[in-house]
Amino acid sequence: MDSGPAPFSDIGKRTKGIPFISADLLTKDYNFDHKFILSIPSSTGVGLTATGLKRDQIFVGDISTVYKSGSTTVDVKIDTYSNVSTKVTINNALPSTKAAFSFNVPDQRSGKLDVQYLHHHAAINSSIGLNPAPLLELAAAFGNKDLAFGGEVGFDTASASFTKYNAGISFNKPDFSAALILADKGQTLKTSYVHSVNSPSVSEVAAELTHRFSTYENSFSFGSAHVVDPFTVVKTRFSDNGKVAMLCQREWRPKSHITVSAEYDSKAMSAGPKLGLALALKP
C-alpha cells in the first residue's frame, strides 16, 4: 500500500532524498555563528540536550529534557532568559492521530493544542490557541507519496482577520522533486526543483525561484550537495543577491558531526566573509 502525502509544511522539501543530505538543501545546516549541541540519550526514556550559540559577543543557550513513556512524550526546555517551554505529545490518541499540548512560562497566553491526522491519502494538521481570543490554524495535504497538493490557513479571532492562506502542489519521484507554492496570502509564487545525480558519485542539485506580485521582483537561489564519502558532505549555494555560501559537514560517529560554514557577499566586499562552526555530539 502506498504511503500517504507529507504534511503541507513539507511541500517543496525533498522528504526522501539521499541519506546524509538534509531535506532542505538550500538552507539547512548553514550556520555563520558558533554553535554547540550535546545530546545525551538514556535507556530509561529520559534524554538531555544542551545547546549553546555565540553570535557576535552574545551567548545564548538552552537545556531540554525529553521523557518518553509508551505513547506519551514530555519535552521541557529552559533557555538563558529563564523561559520554560513544555510540550506533551500523545501518539495514537485516536487511530492515526497525534495530539500535542504546549505552553510557555511565564507567558500565560501561550497555551496551544495541536492535532495531526495522517491517512493513506491525507495529512491534516490543526492548531488552536488556548486563550479567550485564540489563533486558529489548519493545514491539509492530499494525494500520495508521488503527487500531493494542499493548503493552509490561519485566522486570528481577536482581530477577526486571516493571518495567512497559502497553497501548494508537489511532484516527487525517486530521482527528483518539484513543487509550486503560492505563499504570503497569494502575493508570492515560489517554485523549487531538486534532482539527484548518482554518477559517478552521489550528489543533489536544487534551485528555487521566487516572484513577488506586488513589487514584480524576482529572486533565485541554486545549490548543490555532494557526498564525498559515507561520512562527509559538501554543500554550495549561490543567490542572485550576490551571496555565495559553502559548508562542509563531517560525521565521525553516528549522529555526531562538525560543520564548517562560510558565506561571501560580493556586494559588501569590505565586510569580509562570514564564518561559522557547529559541533553536535551524541555519546
Side-chain angles (χ1 to χ4, degrees):
M1 182 178 296
D2 291 341
S3 60
F8 176 79
S9 59
D10 286 339
I11 288 182
K13 298 180 181 179
R14 186 166 172 78
T15 57
K16 291 185 178 181
I18 299 171
F20 202 41
I21 294 180
S22 64
D24 201 342
L25 187 153
L26 293 175
T27 58
K28 185 68 173 178
D29 295 328
Y30 282 99
N31 170 64
F32 306 111
D33 303 299
H34 296 93
K35 187 176 183 180
F36 175 79
I37 302 174
L38 174 63
S39 300
I40 304 176
S42 173
S43 59
T44 61
V46 179
L48 176 67
T49 300
T51 302
L53 177 67
K54 183 176 182 295
R55 179 173 296 165
D56 296 328
Q57 301 301 318
I58 301 176
F59 179 84
V60 295
D62 60 66
I63 297 177
S64 63
T65 60
V66 178
Y67 173 74
K68 296 182 179 180
S69 177
S71 60
T72 303
T73 301
V74 180
D75 190 335
V76 179
K77 179 186 293 185
I78 304 175
D79 65 18
T80 308
Y81 304 102
S82 300
N83 297 312
V84 181
S85 304
T86 302
K87 184 176 183 179
V88 180
T89 304
I90 302 175
N91 293 300
N92 295 319
L94 294 173
S96 304
T97 303
K98 179 173 68 175
F101 168 65
S102 60
F103 61 92
N104 301 327
V105 177
D107 188 356
Q108 301 178 353
R109 299 172 60 87
S110 62
K112 186 173 66 170
L113 176 64
D114 297 284
V115 178
Q116 182 184 66
Y117 174 73
L118 297 177
H119 188 265
H120 298 302
H121 298 291
I124 301 174
N125 294 270
S126 61
S127 174
I128 180 172
L130 303 179
N131 54 69
L135 176 64
L136 308 177
E137 295 183 343
L138 177 66
F142 304 93
N144 52 42
K145 63 177 182 178
D146 295 328
L147 178 64
F149 64 93
E152 64 178 353
V153 62
F155 184 77
D156 187 352
T157 58
S159 60
S161 61
F162 287 98
T163 59
K164 62 180 177 181
Y165 41 85
N166 307 315
I169 184 171
S170 66
F171 183 65
N172 302 289
K173 285 296 182 182
D175 59 340
F176 73 89
S177 176
L180 184 67
I181 301 174
L182 189 63
D184 300 330
K185 299 182 181 181
Q187 296 301 308
T188 303
L189 182 65
K190 295 182 179 180
T191 59
S192 62
Y193 181 79
V194 182
H195 192 92
S196 299
V197 182
N198 296 324
S199 177
S201 58
V202 180
S203 302
E204 281 193 353
V205 293
E208 183 179 80
L209 173 65
T210 301
H211 174 74
R212 294 174 175 81
F213 295 105
S214 58
T215 60
Y216 300 101
E217 294 180 350
N218 295 314
S219 60
F220 66 87
S221 296
F222 63 92
S224 65
H226 176 70
V227 177
V228 179
D229 56 50
F231 309 102
T232 308
V233 63
V234 175
K235 292 183 180 181
T236 59
R237 183 182 66 197
F238 305 88
S239 302
D240 67 304
N241 58 8
K243 294 183 178 180
V244 180
M246 181 178 181
L247 73 79
C248 179
Q249 186 175 89
R250 174 73 178 181
E251 185 179 47
W252 70 84
R253 58 176 298 168
K255 298 183 179 180
S256 294
H257 55 262
I258 184 171
T259 306
V260 179
S261 306
E263 184 182 64
Y264 176 71
D265 188 350
S266 61
K267 296 182 179 180
M269 292 183 291
S270 59
K274 295 181 179 179
L275 300 176
L277 177 66
L279 179 63
L281 299 176
K282 188 172 183 179

